[in-house]
Amino acid sequence: MATQGGELSRHGVLRRKYMDWTVGEARTMSSSPKRLLQWLLLRLPVPCSLVLFLLLSTILLEAFLGYQLYLVAKVRLAYSCRSQHVPKWRSPGRALFPPPPAPRV
């Protein structure tokens, strides 16, 4: 974030003034993070959407990794966790193709 802040400062974005009608005075962009975010979304939509996508992807991967580490700590497999909560069902192969009868001796 420091790099982006430096770039915004270098191009004079943080010193840009806008009229804040709620207080009736001119303010700089650096004093209002909400206004700065609005400016960034309007001027640079693709980089902002990429940052949002990467942030959400990272959160998703971290959640998956956390779940896998939880399973490793419990010495369980994902399949065994799932099979405890799902009721047992019969294989359709057994219903379609029953085993042959045992031979009589």
Side-chain angles (χ1 to χ4, degrees):
M1 292 303 288
T3 305
Q4 288 83 6
E7 284 295 310
L8 292 174
S9 178
R10 185 172 69 110
H11 291 292
V13 174
L14 297 177
R15 291 186 308 269
R16 231 175 247 231
K17 294 196 177 224
Y18 70 96
M19 187 64 179
D20 188 359
W21 295 104
T22 58
V23 292
E25 63 183 29
R27 294 182 142 186
T28 59
M29 289 279 211
S30 61
S31 65
S32 174
K34 180 181 172 183
R35 183 64 71 165
L36 183 60
L37 180 63
Q38 182 182 11
W39 187 88
L40 284 172
L41 288 173
L42 287 174
R43 303 282 183 182
L44 305 167
V46 173
C48 288
S49 59
L50 285 175
V51 167
L52 182 64
F53 172 74
L54 290 173
L55 180 68
L56 292 176
S57 299
T58 302
I59 290 171
L60 181 68
L61 285 173
E62 289 295 324
F64 179 72
L65 177 68
Y67 177 66
Q68 293 300 321
L69 291 176
Y70 166 76
L71 290 178
V72 167
K74 292 285 216 172
V75 190
R76 299 172 93 184
L77 298 173
Y79 180 76
S80 64
C81 279
R82 186 174 174 273
S83 65
Q84 288 178 358
H85 301 294
V86 176
K88 300 278 186 199
W89 55 276
R90 289 184 46 177
S91 172
R94 291 273 181 182
L96 294 174
F97 307 106
R104 293 186 202 193
V105 182

